[in-house]
Amino acid sequence: MKIIINDIELECKEGQKVLDVARANGIHLPTLCFNPLNPTARPAGCRLCVVEVLEGGRPGLQSSCTLPATEGLKVSTKSRPVYDQRREVVELLLSEHEQDCRNCFVSGDCVFSELCREYDINGVSVCSECPKRRQGCLLSRGVLCLGPITYANCDAFCTRRGYKCEGCHSVMKNEDLLRFGLAAFAKAEFTRDEILEATRVFSFEGVHVLEKVMTEEGFK
Amino acid sequence: MKEININVEHLTRVEGHGNIVLNAKNGKVEKVMWEVSEAPRLFEAFVRGKPYHQLAQITSRICGICSIGHTLASLKATEAAMDIEISPQSELLRRLAIHGENMQSHILHLGYLISPDLFGTGSVVPLVRTHTDAVLAVVKLHRLSNEFSEVVCGRTTHPTNLIPGGFYKTPSPLKLKEYRQKLLDSVETANLVAGIILDNAGALPDFTRETEFIALTAKDEYALYDGLIGSTDAGTYPVDEYVDVVNEFVVPQSTAKYCKNKREAFMVGALARFNLNYDHLSPLAKQWAKKFGLKPVCHNPFMNNVAQLVEFVHSIEDSVSLIDRLMEDYKDEPRPEITPKAGRGVGVVDVPRGILFHEYVYDKDGYCASANCVIPTNQNHNNIQHDFEAFAPSLLDKPEKEIELNLEMLVRAYDPCISCSTHFLNVEWKR
């Protein structure tokens, strides 16, 4: 018996689920089957392993752990609807989760922070945690504080104590968030070179995105 | 005769990765080696092309434990290069910063990393059950040191308050007074911990190998922040000549460079400072040194642990007197303004693990052209290797486990911070 996953023909046996076939062939599908983080803890509960059925079955999104492999079945594990669905699932799971995993940069085998990275779920800037964002904002006092374009989750440790943000959690990689942050710098009259020089201490990838956004926005 | 093969790959309870290799046959040591397997860190390359005000922020990341020391060495180098003078008040505050770090690092090493050896356990965790009061006292002191550092430096690790020319924000006098009292109260706890270590100090092996000790020295104080480079063999050197003192060279078994001066190796750290500056220790510190039978010049590397304890007590007492001096005339100082200029500067401080050098060359706009950092553990590696060669033959009659433990204890006594010490591989050292 054969099924097709992502345009690849794969051998399978009677009784196997699509998830088993994918795993046996090294195709990655995220799951939280026996993970304590999964709040529902029942089959097809986490909905992360969804695939899109293209031919040979009921068309649409179905969880691969419950979808039996049948002759001529054709599925995709990385189509746009699949990606969007998974992203939404992760966001919903996170809303029930105690920690804010979106900005977490602690390395280790944490499923959620991996998923956030994989599905581009972005967090918020240091400003959102900073108690001085309205009165006493360092930027408005002429200090080059990198708060508006730096990932939060540090509880604004430095700015809370009156020190500028050095950007140690790295510059954000999401263009929309950066655009929003750049407006704050424009108001405080900092130049492109000053900002880039300051960000290069702790960031690498983020600086490239920032440069791109600055060029698009005509930031001087 | 028995054959002994010991290979401790990744020694535990030290910072970083190091291996111990011992091969012995028929009562003879064939090979004993201290290997450093940590990957190079490349900080000296990172800072090239960076502006002067970012350098301390970057180099402080060399280490999480001595980040205050690295910051201070870096700032001193920058200030020397640009002829920046700092106010007497800022200097006193920086001395407080270094005391805070010294206390924090020493109590961490003694309380969590060395105590398991003294009590014969594998880690500090079982001690929580058996010696609850002692462990809690250690945690209390560790916490106090960290909080004290935060008051002065803004953050415990990777300080934000220390900037070229002085302080970003003058630390609050109220907080300083509060911590003066807390430090005074902590003397009792420190005595308790010291007493417990004294009761178990018998577990430290008695081993002596004559070596050279290098540390900062000053005429009128127990030098940590400022002074000349002092050696037990060769008197003093000016700070600018540090390259001729440390003489770095590369060996195949180590990613960290080795150092030597007058002898085949030298030692830096608490014991070196103790040996060179004993006269300036505070009264209580001298008392504790006496109780442990520690006298200068002591050549037993295991006594480095005891020297750390003595320094811990000294730091408490000296911090209190420094705060008193500060409070005589304490002002809210404005943030320093700096005009960058070209130059070369060397910064030196004695951090918990020994003497630390940073050297920078700046161009006229204040951008770093080249940098060199010589880290204390780096200077100790060669001495550890020579101690191994002298210590291992005397151990061969013991069971293998015990040999292993003794060698591990020897390395731990140096309080090595291995990942700090590895850097810059492709340098050829020429005689």
Side-chain angles (χ1 to χ4, degrees), chain A residues 157-158 161-163 197 201-202, chain B residues 51 54 155 160 168-169 367:
Chain A
F157 188 98
C158 296
R161 286 159 178 76
Y163 310 114
E197 187 179 277
V201 178
F202 291 108
Chain B
Q54 286 180 354
R155 279 204 320 207
T160 42
Y168 188 87
K169 221 171 68 175
Y367 285 80

Side-chain angles (χ1 to χ4, degrees), chain B residues 18 42 57 68 78 100-101 104 107 109 158 222 271 352 428:
Chain B
L42 310 168
Q57 278 293 332
I68 295 174
T78 303
E101 176 183 79
Q104 179 264 118
I107 200 68
H109 182 238
H158 309 144
Y222 193 85
L271 189 61
E428 276 181 48

Side-chain angles (χ1 to χ4, degrees), chain A residues 132 138 143 157-158 160-164 166 168 197-202, chain B residues 50-51 53-54 57-58 61 150 153-156 160-161 168-169 335 367:
Chain A
K132 301 194 170 175
L138 291 168
V143 181
F157 188 98
C158 296
R160 202 176 275 280
R161 286 159 178 76
Y163 310 114
K164 63 180 176 175
E166 304 265 358
C168 71
E197 187 179 277
T199 52
R200 283 200 184 103
V201 178
F202 291 108
Chain B
K50 297 274 188 226
H53 54 84
Q54 286 180 354
Q57 278 293 332
I58 299 171
R61 263 78 181 174
E150 193 184 314
C153 310
R155 279 204 320 207
T156 308
T160 42
N161 201 10
Y168 188 87
K169 221 171 68 175
R335 205 167 295 161
Y367 285 80

Side-chain angles (χ1 to χ4, degrees), chain A:
Chain A
M1 193 169 68
K2 279 181 181 153
I3 65 167
I4 301 167
I5 302 180
N6 300 343
D7 297 332
I8 308 167
E9 233 182 43
L10 299 168
E11 276 295 332
C12 57
K13 287 191 218 91
E14 191 68 42
Q16 269 189 316
K17 307 284 189 216
V18 173
L19 179 65
D20 304 328
V21 184
R23 281 197 174 151
N25 290 285
I27 297 168
H28 170 70
L29 285 169
T31 55
L32 288 174
C33 299
F34 298 102
N35 197 308
L37 295 172
N38 179 359
T40 55
R42 53 167 197 266
C46 76
R47 313 299 301 173
L48 268 176
C49 65
V50 287
V51 292
E52 188 179 7
V53 179
L54 302 168
E55 277 169 31
R58 187 160 57 87
L61 297 173
Q62 294 198 41
S63 55
S64 61
C65 61
T66 50
L67 180 66
T70 49
E71 183 66 43
L73 186 71
K74 188 177 175 187
V75 299
S76 166
T77 68
K78 44 188 180 186
S79 66
R80 187 76 215 182
V82 169
Y83 181 89
D84 289 346
Q85 167 83 18
R86 286 197 194 139
R87 190 163 191 269
E88 203 172 322
V89 167
V90 177
E91 280 183 335
L92 284 170
L93 286 171
L94 276 175
S95 68
E96 286 282 300
H97 194 48
E98 273 173 43
Q99 276 97 28
D100 187 353
C101 305
R102 296 173 299 177
N103 295 325
C104 183
F105 66 130
V106 176
S107 56
D109 52 355
C110 170
V111 191
F112 273 164
S113 51
E114 293 262 306
L115 287 171
C116 287
R117 231 166 285 150
E118 201 175 332
Y119 294 98
D120 194 28
I121 296 168
N122 280 285
V124 286
S125 71
V126 173
C127 294
S128 67
E129 294 180 340
C130 177
K132 301 194 170 175
R133 66 183 180 276
R134 287 195 185 84
Q135 272 110 42
C137 171
L138 291 168
L139 263 176
S140 66
R141 287 195 275 152
V143 181
L144 181 47
C145 170
L146 292 182
I149 52 169
T150 302
Y151 280 130
N153 225 7
C154 54
D155 198 22
F157 188 98
C158 296
T159 55
R160 202 176 275 280
R161 286 159 178 76
Y163 310 114
K164 63 180 176 175
C165 172
E166 304 265 358
C168 71
H169 273 206
S170 111
V171 167
M172 303 195 282
K173 288 165 207 153
N174 181 294
E175 292 183 18
D176 296 335
L177 291 172
L178 283 177
R179 241 173 234 122
F180 194 72
L182 275 180
F185 287 120
K187 230 188 208 170
E189 296 180 350
F190 284 108
T191 65
R192 181 190 162 106
D193 288 346
E194 281 173 336
I195 298 166
L196 286 177
E197 187 179 277
T199 52
R200 283 200 184 103
V201 178
F202 291 108
S203 309
F204 182 72
E205 275 177 71
V207 181
H208 292 312
V209 187
L210 181 65
E211 271 186 295
K212 190 179 150 219
V213 174
M214 279 177 157
T215 315
E216 279 172 18
E217 295 278 301
F219 196 95
K220 292 260 160 53

